[in-house]
Amino acid sequence: KTFQLNTKKLLIVIPYASSVSEMAADGGNASLQLPCVFSPKSRQYLALCAQDGRLRIWNTDSKTLHQEFVPSAHLSATCTCIAWGPCRTVKEGPQRKKRKSEAVQVEEKADLLAMGTAAGSVLIYSTVKGALHCTLDGGHSGGVNCVQWHPEDSLLYSGSDDTNIVEWDLQTGKTRSKWKADRAAVTSLCVSPDGKLLLSAGQTIKMWDLETKEVYRKFTGHSTAVTTLCFATTRPPDSNGLYFLSGAAHDRLLSVWQVREDGKDKNSVVSFTLTDEPQHIDLVASNSKEEAVRLAVVCKDGQLHLFEHFLNGPCKKPLSPSCTMQMSDTKESPMPIPLLAAALGADTRTVLLAYGNHLQPVMEKEINTAERHVCLTRDVQTSLSLSMETTVSKVKTPIVKANCRVLVPGLPGHQALVKGTSQGSEKRKKDTDTKEMSIAERLGEIDLSTVSIEKGAPKGTASLQTDNFAVLLVQGLESNDASILNKVLQTRKEMVIKKTVARLPLPAVLPLVEEVNGTFLAVLIVRWLKAVLMHHTSYLASLPDLVTKLGVLYHMIESRVKMFHKLTKLHGKLYLLTTQVRGVMCRNMHSVIVFKCF
């Protein structure tokens, strides 16, 4: 009964994690939020980490995937936070010396990107090089929760679960300073525009003097972990004009704090009301009292709130947003589309939006923000088609010679290298037929029922690699050929199934689930679906109709749970019966032995 109850609880929990936004909001922990940040100034790039642990940089102008980076330990050390470095002038390669008449002003570009990991290291990625710039190790013993760049010097600050703040020198790649910030984990950091002060958040918000590394002020007011810190003005602290805002987990208010010269700054002076806790914030700071602060806040429920306020002392009532924006699809029963991030433009009515899912976000510029409530309807495709710029992609197409015969092509849409077959003792004959083979002839030569797949197979027999299974499976799913699908999917070796599913491209995962649910026996369904759930959970979680696709699996689990109680009773009865029979036989044997002795 306990197993039955626990399994039913599991069946109830799985459907509610079918969307990306709900998975990110699961547990209410801020560390589960997926990082998503626009590049500074021009907002040309959008950097984000999806559920698969890969860093993807999208070009907001062309709406294409600009670069993709896979950390070496992206599964064990997931990316927890992202921060763009200040724009700088970068030499992209050797250039000829220009004359004075040809000299033009060099434009600064967003280059370096800092990524904090759960393992405690910080990765510095260069978008100009398209590769890892350096790795900062040895500073933290816990996971990194936040990273923040210095606006002028080549310095980086990181906060961690080990309650420490580390100041990194990017020129040497080593720790420059390290100090204990709080009794709890450091969850957020922010450097002042002049680079002299640092805000940190743990149990309390502290303002540090970066020259002496001593506490300048303390602020208390949040009961949960602070997830957001941001300076709202660029004025010096000795003029009573320095303001910053903070947001916390499970808190539907953004608090604004004033750094006063007399030290009487214990309470927040302004509050902004939200519909849910803040997930992404973009702010245009105020340079004077006559200039308003512009704020764009994306909440965890997927809504966007825009604020505009003049910071000049306390305000008793919480401020409502000047514009609230939502998105939904175009179906008969509309479903909300979560907003991932937003960036304010130079024009007060322009905002850059990123919505959809983290695997393939959609970017759009929205101009009409004058209305108080805006609801946008968009047709977002659920199928993934990651297109990369040809100038960035390093994939090369191999040249096939005329005297070569291609038996197994490479996996379409997959980046893993295909293992070559081991060379046998016999060499190929020179007079090999160069005619290309059809799929039927390939299946005739590759008999899945007789080929040995073990490592210790005899040298005389052919060795079928798991790449062959993956290629044939993709071909069978695309052509809907029952003979190919039967030969591949009827294998019972779990290791071959796991490797085959791991090599499948993403567009072939959903057709495989539908094919397995529709045709094959219960044992085969469990083995193939188990491998799919192990290797492609992040992709399946982004699908809106996951429950219907896995309906056969749910029905099978439910039927097995119902049968489990009956089988348990039968097992108890059989165990009691065999124990009684064994006891009777032992007594009879004992009596026979005693009779023979006498």
Side-chain angles (χ1 to χ4, degrees):
K1 291 183 179 179
T2 305
F3 177 82
Q4 185 174 359
L5 290 175
N6 291 339
T7 311
K8 285 189 175 181
K9 288 181 181 178
L10 176 64
L11 293 175
I12 294 174
V13 171
I14 289 176
Y16 285 96
S18 60
S19 65
V20 176
S21 59
E22 291 173 352
M23 289 183 65
D26 188 17
N29 193 349
S31 62
L32 295 177
Q33 295 181 2
L34 298 174
C36 181
V37 185
F38 282 101
S39 61
K41 292 188 178 180
S42 64
R43 313 291 188 181
Q44 184 180 2
Y45 301 115
L46 173 66
L48 48 82
C49 278
Q51 298 90 335
D52 55 2
R54 300 187 179 192
L55 171 69
R56 292 184 176 91
I57 300 176
W58 295 81
N59 191 321
T60 58
D61 297 331
S62 60
K63 310 294 190 299
T64 55
L65 182 62
H66 179 63
Q67 289 178 5
E68 184 176 12
F69 172 68
V70 183
S72 58
H74 67 287
L75 296 179
S76 60
T78 56
C79 178
T80 55
C81 52
I82 297 178
W84 284 94
C87 296
R88 62 174 189 166
T89 305
V90 183
K91 295 181 180 180
E92 299 186 5
Q95 298 178 353
R96 67 178 181 87
K97 206 169 184 179
K98 295 184 178 180
R99 301 176 183 176
K100 292 183 179 180
S101 59
E102 297 177 348
V104 293
Q105 187 176 1
V106 181
E107 183 183 0
E108 293 184 343
K109 295 182 179 180
D111 177 26
L112 297 182
L113 188 68
M115 298 182 292
T117 65
S121 60
V122 179
L123 306 178
I124 307 298
Y125 180 80
S126 174
T127 57
V128 174
K129 299 178 183 177
L132 191 66
H133 181 71
C134 64
T135 303
L136 307 178
D137 287 322
H140 294 291
S141 58
V144 178
N145 296 323
C146 48
V147 287
Q148 186 71 26
W149 292 82
H150 194 279
E152 298 176 359
D153 301 331
S154 58
L155 300 176
L156 180 72
Y157 299 90
S158 59
S160 171
D161 289 334
D162 59 5
T163 71
N164 293 325
I165 297 176
V166 176
E167 183 182 49
W168 302 91
D169 189 349
L170 270 297
Q171 293 181 352
T172 61
K174 297 181 179 179
T175 302
R176 183 176 178 181
S177 180
K178 180 179 179 179
W179 68 94
K180 186 177 179 62
D182 208 298
R183 287 180 292 180
V186 180
T187 54
S188 185
L189 292 174
C190 185
V191 182
S192 61
D194 59 0
K196 296 180 179 179
L197 300 174
L198 174 69
L199 284 172
S200 70
Q203 289 183 343
T204 59
I205 301 175
K206 295 181 181 180
M207 182 175 286
W208 302 84
D209 188 344
L210 287 178
E211 185 176 354
T212 61
K213 304 300 187 295
E214 295 180 356
V215 178
Y216 181 72
R217 294 286 169 82
K218 288 185 180 180
F219 305 88
T220 56
H222 292 288
S223 59
T224 55
V226 177
T227 58
T228 301
L229 287 174
C230 188
F231 279 94
T233 59
T234 58
R235 303 167 227 170
D238 54 358
S239 63
N240 291 340
L242 183 62
Y243 293 83
F244 71 91
L245 60 87
S246 62
H250 308 292
D251 195 349
R252 297 185 178 183
L253 287 176
L254 275 180
S255 301
V256 180
W257 309 80
Q258 182 182 16
V259 184
R260 296 175 58 90
E261 188 177 3
D262 54 7
K264 297 180 180 180
D265 44 19
K266 295 183 179 180
N267 299 321
S268 61
V269 293
V270 182
S271 297
F272 298 108
T273 58
L274 306 173
T275 55
D276 205 340
E277 66 176 272
Q279 186 170 353
H280 181 275
I281 291 181
D282 187 52
L283 183 142
V284 178
S286 170
N287 298 320
S288 62
K289 294 181 180 180
E290 292 76 21
E291 187 178 356
V293 174
R294 296 170 55 208
L295 185 64
V297 184
V298 176
C299 298
K300 186 171 281 189
D301 59 0
Q303 297 188 46
L304 170 65
H305 304 286
L306 301 178
F307 299 90
E308 189 171 352
H309 180 68
F310 291 91
L311 294 176
N312 191 12
C315 184
K316 294 182 180 179
K317 294 183 179 180
L319 301 177
S320 301
S322 59
C323 178
T324 298
M325 191 175 297
Q326 297 176 265
M327 302 197 74
S328 64
D329 55 20
T330 56
K331 297 180 180 179
E332 294 182 0
S333 55
M335 294 294 293
I337 301 174
L339 283 162
L340 305 178
L344 295 170
D347 186 7
T348 56
R349 299 179 58 185
T350 304
V351 60
L352 179 61
L353 305 176
Y355 56 90
N357 57 64
H358 285 76
L359 292 173
Q360 189 176 9
V362 182
M363 288 146 287
E364 178 182 345
K365 281 188 178 181
E366 178 61 29
I367 299 177
N368 186 17
T369 59
E371 299 181 6
R372 193 169 185 83
H373 297 281
V374 178
C375 184
L376 305 175
T377 56
R378 298 292 185 268
D379 185 12
V380 179
Q381 301 292 334
T382 57
S383 61
L384 298 179
S385 58
L386 300 180
S387 59
M388 183 175 289
E389 296 178 359
T390 55
T391 57
V392 179
S393 178
K394 299 180 180 179
V395 179
K396 296 182 179 180
T397 305
I399 300 174
V400 181
K401 297 182 180 180
N403 57 353
C404 296
R405 183 178 63 175
V406 179
L407 181 62
V408 180
L411 294 179
H414 203 275
Q415 297 177 353
L417 296 177
V418 179
K419 298 180 181 178
T421 55
S422 58
Q423 295 180 355
S425 58
E426 297 180 0
K427 297 183 179 180
R428 292 184 177 180
K429 297 181 180 180
K430 296 182 179 180
D431 53 348
T432 307
D433 188 13
T434 58
K435 186 178 179 181
E436 186 178 356
M437 302 176 65
S438 63
I439 296 179
E441 292 174 344
R442 294 177 193 175
L443 289 175
E445 291 196 2
I446 305 176
D447 189 1
L448 305 188
S449 60
T450 58
V451 174
S452 176
I453 311 174
E454 302 295 334
K455 292 184 178 179
K459 294 183 178 180
T461 59
S463 173
L464 183 61
Q465 303 291 334
T466 53
D467 296 312
N468 302 26
F469 279 94
V471 173
L472 291 176
L473 183 56
V474 171
Q475 292 177 351
L477 292 173
E478 290 179 352
S479 61
N480 199 16
D481 194 326
S483 61
I484 299 178
L485 294 174
N486 287 334
K487 281 183 174 287
V488 176
L489 294 178
Q490 284 183 358
T491 179
R492 297 180 179 270
K493 294 184 179 293
E494 292 190 4
M495 186 57 64
V496 175
I497 295 175
K498 290 180 180 179
K499 291 184 178 181
T500 302
V501 172
R503 286 169 169 81
L504 279 182
L506 289 180
V509 175
L510 192 57
L512 174 61
V513 173
E514 296 176 351
E515 183 69 29
V516 171
N517 284 340
T519 51
F520 289 93
L521 301 175
V523 178
L524 300 179
I525 293 177
V526 172
R527 290 179 180 176
W528 283 95
L529 287 182
K530 178 182 176 182
V532 170
L533 292 176
M534 287 177 60
H535 292 281
H536 299 285
T537 306
S538 60
Y539 172 67
L540 291 175
S542 63
L543 301 176
D545 51 352
L546 178 63
V547 180
T548 58
K549 300 299 181 184
L550 300 181
V552 177
L553 179 63
Y554 291 155
H555 179 71
M556 185 187 305
I557 295 177
E558 186 71 22
S559 61
R560 291 194 176 190
V561 168
K562 290 181 181 179
M563 188 64 65
F564 179 77
H565 185 59
K566 299 179 181 179
L567 292 176
T568 305
K569 287 184 177 181
L570 179 60
H571 178 268
K573 292 179 180 179
L574 291 176
Y575 179 76
L576 181 62
L577 181 62
T578 54
T579 305
Q580 292 176 354
V581 172
R582 192 181 299 111
V584 172
M585 292 179 64
C586 290
R587 286 195 298 269
N588 292 337
M589 290 294 295
H590 180 70
S591 60
V592 170
I593 294 173
V594 172
F595 177 76
K596 288 184 177 181
C597 291
F598 287 98

